[in-house]
Amino acid sequence: DGTIGDRDRELEERDQQLEEARNTIDDRNRKLDEARRNAEREREDLNNRIKDLEHQIHEREERIRHAEERAEHLNKELEGVRQSLEEAWATAHANDHRATENDHRADAIADKLRQAEEMQRLAEDARLIASAAAASAAARLQHAEDSVDQFRQVAAAASEEKRVSEENALAAMAAALRERSLRDDLASAEKHANQVAADAWGQLGGVTKQLEETFNQQLRDQQALEGERAAAAAAAEESFVDSSAADGVAAGCAYGVIDAVECSTGMRLVRLRDPWGSKVWRGAWSDGSPEWEASDNVGLLAELEYTFEDDGTFWMSYADFVIHFNCIHVCRIFPADWHQLVLKGAWVGAAAGGPPTLPGGRASGSWGNNPQYRITAQRDCDVLLSLLQRDGRVAHGEEKGHDMDGSKAQVGMAVIECGREQRSRKWRLDPKELVGMSALSRARETTVSLKLDAGHSYLIVPFTGQCGEEAPFVLRSFSSAPVEVERLMQPFQLVCRGQWAPHTAGGNKTHGSFGSNPQYMISTERKTAAVIRVKRLKDGNGAADAAALAGSGSGSELGVTMLRLAGGAAAVASVRTGVIDGSVAPQRCLAVGDANEVVGEGDFADTNEGIFFCTLTPEHSHVLIPSAVAPGAVTGPYSITVHSAHQVKMLEFPEVQAAVLHGQWSKEGGGCSLHVTWSSNPKFLIIVSEPGVFTVTLSVDGGQWKRGKSLDKMIGFCVFPCKADGKIIPDRKAILHETPYLPMKEVRLDLPLTAELGLSYVIMPTLYAPDLAGKFDLSVTSETPFKFSAV
């Protein structure tokens, strides 16, 4: 019974445990069911969201498709509107032409009526004559009014079509206006940034100019100091006594410095050796002098380990040393592990470029032609550069004729830091890049010591004190580490000669006759820095131009202006092939404007030579214009010399005279010859001395064309002779030439004009409609001389 009871209890406990396990499993199943239901709900929500997103994407695709269809439809409508406008323009122009023809017919009929009236003048009284004249005028006025009404109807129809087209294109234009607003904001920001950059460059240019002036002043001071030193040395040499002087030291004799010590007594002594052994010092501290026996100096001989012997050596005090000797030559002995390079060169021809600056501090245009050497170090090292020139006193053989009097040229050397990959020449000395320089000296050897940084390259430029001074030289380098030295190729040189005639000396770009100056197209196949020099030459009789003798400020200072034209690659190609075709290459520059960008200009600081430093690129066509400051201030021959690292080509434009004048139409009066206020337009007088063809161009700024008034602002001009008495009275019947009125920014006409005695011509530019203000430029070019002025 007890065993059965125990088993029953065990079974009950197991049943309880099973029940608890079953309950636990049921709880877990319930939780799994609940999690499964939650997952189903989330999956359903996610599917719903996906469906919503797909629906939204579909709607957006539909909208995009509708927008594209709408845009395509608007583009088609715009194309139709554009065609309608073009047809309207053509119709308006044809109507204008018909109106002009009708007016001419009316003039012809009026002439016939006046002839008939003249035949009946004797038979009719004054009242009939007046009535006939009034009837004729009324008929002409009515005919003109009919023509104008017809033109206005056509213009009104065109305006109505334009208004309808504008309403249809309003939606498309709104987007364009927004884009234009963004572009304007971007352009404004760029303009502000460019202004800030320009201000910064201006400040930097001022600082650079101050540095250059300081550097030039220091160079001049150093040259003056060298001259004073040379004069002092010459004076000291003249003051030296001969070898029989009482102190025993011979003038002009070289002594070797053996030792220099400061003794225990505080006395500073210098030991020297006379190579000949007879010209020894006999003053204080010489062999056997009383100073050695003084009580304060007992034991000094032992301290110096010196004995009195006839060996040519002697001691003297430092104070006496600086009195009796005025020059010390130090021979630097380099360690055995230093490296030496030797290069021979010469200043010959164009390579004799002279110093970096001209009198007055101007940068020299020929300094960059001097021989230049590029030196590069593999690791940081110390370098001593030595420039040797030949001494005529040691010349031999074929060299005997050179510099036999022992005189030597003034020579110097500049060391400039440059980029490792830079292999082009330096055309002018920038004080910011200068790392070492020796002043001009007539010594046989001049040196520069400096430290080179690993991986950096430097340019060594030896030069003489005067341009054109020819001489050979030897350049040596002593360095604590291996260096590479290579000579740069001699620069390319191109020389062109020309002549300023009285009618082709147009002055600088501030004058209206600027376009008359000689002009040259210049191009290069590789980007290159260049120096351009314009120099006045003597005439055929060897006489200099009187302007060359004029002082600064007389208007005869020379310079070069460089323009970058909008000719593109075709213009550049035409220059390279030597062909200038008006359909490809740019025309002569008449004035400086938006299309003709000023790249730079020379200094206009000297009456004999103008210098201009620039960079030429193969992507642009450039035009060189040599000139003086004032028109007509310089006449006679000149030369243009271009020095550059790479080859350049130049081609001269045909010689013509050009003049550009600026004018403006008033808000009152004016208009074409159909209006009674026609005679109030601006007038310009051209006087010719011989017959020829004169090209007249009228141009306006394109920004003055406004919507709805383009026809009114059509431009043109007419030409009529001036009266013999000099009075300018516009007469429609006296018009010799008249251009058609066109809605363009430029109208051009070639005028064949004669040169009858006392005859001149009037050019009158006009707008089509009166009472409109605007500015314009009027230019005249011709191979025949002329005078052009505003009335």
Side-chain angles (χ1 to χ4, degrees):
D1 293 337
T3 302
I4 293 172
D6 292 336
R7 290 181 176 177
D8 291 338
R9 283 192 298 275
E10 290 178 1
L11 291 174
E12 290 177 358
E13 291 176 357
R14 290 181 178 179
D15 291 338
Q16 290 178 358
Q17 291 176 357
L18 290 173
E19 186 64 27
E20 291 176 357
R22 189 179 295 108
N23 293 334
T24 302
I25 292 172
D26 293 338
D27 292 337
R28 290 181 178 178
N29 290 333
R30 284 194 299 271
K31 292 179 179 179
L32 287 174
D33 293 338
E34 186 176 356
R36 189 178 296 108
R37 288 192 297 272
N38 293 335
E40 291 292 337
R41 286 194 296 269
E42 292 178 356
R43 184 181 297 108
E44 185 177 356
D45 293 339
L46 182 60
N47 291 332
N48 292 333
R49 292 175 61 187
I50 291 173
K51 291 179 180 180
D52 292 339
L53 291 174
E54 290 177 348
H55 182 68
Q56 294 176 5
I57 292 172
H58 180 71
E59 289 181 349
R60 292 184 180 180
E61 290 177 348
E62 287 294 324
R63 293 177 182 175
I64 292 172
R65 186 177 60 79
H66 289 307
E68 291 176 349
E69 293 177 353
R70 178 61 176 169
E72 184 178 0
H73 180 68
L74 290 176
N75 288 333
K76 292 180 179 180
E77 291 182 352
L78 286 175
E79 184 64 27
V81 170
R82 189 178 297 107
Q83 293 178 358
S84 300
L85 287 176
E86 292 177 354
E87 293 175 357
W89 280 105
T91 303
H93 181 67
N95 291 337
D96 177 52
H97 184 68
R98 285 196 294 271
T100 304
E101 292 180 350
N102 292 335
D103 186 61
H104 290 165
R105 293 192 187 96
D107 290 340
I109 294 172
D111 291 338
K112 293 179 180 179
L113 290 175
R114 280 194 295 272
Q115 292 176 3
E117 292 168 359
E118 185 66 22
M119 294 175 63
Q120 297 177 0
R121 183 174 59 84
L122 297 176
E124 296 179 355
D125 55 10
R127 183 181 62 81
L128 294 177
I129 295 175
S131 299
S136 176
R140 290 184 60 200
L141 179 61
Q142 182 63 38
H143 184 75
E145 289 178 352
D146 294 338
S147 300
V148 171
D149 291 337
Q150 184 180 3
F151 173 79
R152 286 178 176 173
Q153 290 175 2
V154 174
S159 299
E160 181 63 20
E161 292 179 359
K162 186 177 180 181
R163 184 185 64 79
V164 174
S165 63
E166 288 177 351
E167 290 178 354
N168 294 334
L170 186 59
M173 291 177 63
L177 290 174
R178 286 196 297 272
E179 181 181 0
R180 181 178 179 182
S181 176
L182 292 175
R183 289 181 179 177
D184 292 341
D185 294 341
L186 179 59
S188 177
E190 290 179 352
K191 183 177 180 181
H192 178 69
N194 291 336
Q195 183 63 38
V196 173
D199 295 341
W201 277 109
Q203 297 175 1
L204 180 59
V207 174
T208 302
K209 186 176 181 180
Q210 293 177 359
L211 289 174
E212 290 180 352
E213 293 176 353
T214 303
F215 168 74
N216 293 331
Q217 185 61 40
Q218 291 177 352
L219 183 60
R220 291 192 293 272
D221 294 343
Q222 192 170 6
Q223 293 174 354
L225 181 60
E226 289 293 335
E228 294 175 359
R229 288 177 177 174
E237 289 179 358
E238 293 177 358
S239 66
F240 281 169
V241 297
D242 58 16
S243 59
S244 62
D247 55 24
V249 176
C253 181
Y255 290 80
V257 178
I258 300 175
D259 201 357
V261 297
E262 185 172 355
C263 303
S264 58
T265 60
M267 175 61 65
R268 294 192 293 174
L269 299 177
V270 180
R271 187 182 181 186
L272 297 95
R273 180 191 300 276
D274 171 30
W276 291 271
S278 59
K279 307 294 192 288
V280 297
W281 171 246
R282 293 196 294 266
W285 297 100
S286 62
D287 289 3
S289 66
E291 285 78 12
W292 295 105
E293 300 176 358
S295 58
D296 295 340
N297 299 326
V298 175
L300 195 56
L301 287 173
E303 179 182 341
L304 297 176
E305 299 179 356
Y306 182 69
T307 57
F308 300 147
E309 296 180 7
D310 188 13
D311 58 358
T313 65
F314 58 87
W315 290 89
M316 66 189 307
S317 68
Y318 178 69
D320 288 334
F321 175 78
V322 298
I323 291 174
H324 289 81
F325 295 93
N326 68 331
C327 184
I328 298 178
H329 297 273
V330 179
C331 181
R332 182 170 177 178
I333 307 300
F334 295 100
D337 59 346
W338 275 49
H339 304 266
Q340 177 181 354
L341 292 175
V342 180
L343 299 97
K344 294 184 179 181
W347 296 289
V348 180
T357 56
L358 300 174
R362 294 175 63 214
S364 170
S366 59
W367 177 79
N369 293 332
N370 284 298
Q372 298 188 12
Y373 300 85
R374 184 171 179 265
I375 182 170
T376 307
Q378 301 300 325
R379 63 175 186 267
D380 296 349
C381 64
D382 296 322
V383 174
L384 183 136
L385 300 174
S386 167
L387 178 63
L388 291 165
Q389 61 172 321
R390 182 168 54 187
D391 193 336
R393 294 173 297 180
V394 296
H396 300 285
E398 70 276 10
E399 300 178 355
K400 281 187 176 180
H402 177 76
D403 204 11
M404 287 301 295
D405 60 352
S407 62
K408 294 180 285 294
Q410 279 190 318
V411 298
M413 177 171 42
V415 183
I416 308 167
E417 185 174 9
C418 62
R420 182 175 178 84
E421 301 300 328
Q422 179 177 346
R423 298 186 178 273
S424 58
R425 306 178 69 85
K426 289 290 185 181
W427 296 104
R428 55 181 166 180
L429 186 60
D430 188 348
K432 295 181 294 184
E433 299 174 342
L434 187 66
V435 295
M437 185 170 183
S438 65
L440 287 171
S441 172
R442 294 189 183 275
R444 185 185 180 194
E445 181 180 23
T446 180
T447 61
V448 173
S449 297
L450 66 157
K451 291 183 179 293
L452 301 185
D453 296 331
H456 286 229
S457 294
Y458 305 82
L459 283 182
I460 307 169
V461 187
F463 55 88
T464 60
Q466 184 176 358
C467 179
E469 189 172 16
E470 298 186 348
F473 64 85
V474 175
L475 179 65
R476 299 186 297 170
S477 70
F478 302 89
S479 58
S480 59
V483 297
E484 296 178 359
V485 180
E486 59 176 328
R487 177 169 180 170
L488 301 185
M489 296 292 295
Q490 279 300 111
F492 173 81
Q493 176 176 301
L494 178 64
V495 180
C496 296
R497 288 178 171 83
Q499 177 138 351
W500 285 298
H503 64 283
T504 60
N508 63 9
K509 62 184 177 64
T510 62
H511 299 282
S513 56
F514 174 66
S516 298
N517 287 297
Q519 299 185 15
Y520 299 83
M521 291 287 294
I522 182 170
S523 67
T524 178
E525 295 183 357
R526 297 178 60 183
K527 182 178 180 181
T528 180
V531 181
I532 301 174
R533 303 161 59 195
V534 55
K535 189 173 183 178
R536 180 181 288 111
L537 303 177
K538 295 182 179 180
D539 58 19
N541 298 323
D545 187 359
L549 305 177
S552 177
S554 62
S556 57
E557 296 85 354
L558 299 184
V560 177
T561 303
M562 177 177 284
L563 306 178
R564 181 185 295 122
L565 299 185
V572 178
S574 67
V575 178
R576 291 175 182 165
T577 58
V579 176
I580 291 187
D581 185 356
S583 61
V584 177
Q587 301 297 319
R588 286 180 60 95
C589 170
L590 302 183
V592 176
D594 295 336
N596 304 329
E597 178 185 354
V598 178
V599 177
E601 58 182 348
D603 47 9
F604 290 97
D606 187 76
T607 58
N608 188 56
E609 182 181 39
I611 303 172
F612 176 51
F613 299 90
C614 64
T615 299
L616 301 176
T617 58
E619 296 84 8
H620 299 93
S621 55
H622 298 86
V623 173
L624 292 181
I625 304 179
S627 69
V629 173
V634 176
T635 58
Y638 65 86
S639 67
I640 295 181
T641 304
V642 181
H643 298 286
S644 59
H646 304 292
Q647 183 179 9
V648 299
K649 294 183 179 180
M650 286 178 53
L651 188 64
E652 185 177 8
F653 280 99
E655 178 182 308
V656 298
Q657 181 182 354
V660 180
L661 295 178
H662 309 289
Q664 60 181 5
W665 292 290
S666 174
K667 289 185 177 180
E668 298 179 357
C672 66
S673 58
L674 296 175
H675 305 281
V676 294
T677 56
W678 169 72
S679 61
S680 63
N681 281 293
K683 305 170 187 66
F684 298 84
L685 186 65
I686 179 171
I687 302 175
V688 299
S689 57
E690 55 184 274
V693 177
F694 301 81
T695 302
V696 181
T697 304
L698 173 65
S699 59
V700 296
D701 182 7
Q704 73 177 12
W705 295 95
K706 302 297 182 182
R707 185 190 305 172
K709 293 186 178 181
S710 297
L711 294 177
D712 292 342
K713 285 199 171 184
M714 292 189 297
I715 61 174
F717 62 87
C718 60
V719 181
F720 54 87
C722 181
K723 300 295 184 181
D725 56 2
K727 294 183 180 180
I728 299 177
I729 302 176
D731 187 355
R732 293 178 177 85
K733 298 179 181 179
I735 293 177
L736 300 176
H737 305 279
E738 185 175 13
T739 65
Y741 288 88
L742 302 173
M744 301 175 64
K745 295 187 294 184
E746 181 178 285
V747 176
R748 180 177 300 174
L749 184 63
D750 293 332
L751 301 178
L753 301 179
T754 60
E756 298 179 11
L757 182 63
L759 185 62
S760 56
Y761 300 89
V762 178
I763 304 175
M764 189 163 67
T766 68
L767 292 171
Y768 187 80
D771 303 331
L772 294 176
K775 297 180 179 180
F776 62 86
D777 294 333
L778 188 64
S779 65
V780 180
T781 60
S782 177
E783 298 179 1
T784 305
F786 63 89
K787 294 182 180 180
F788 187 49
S789 61
V791 177

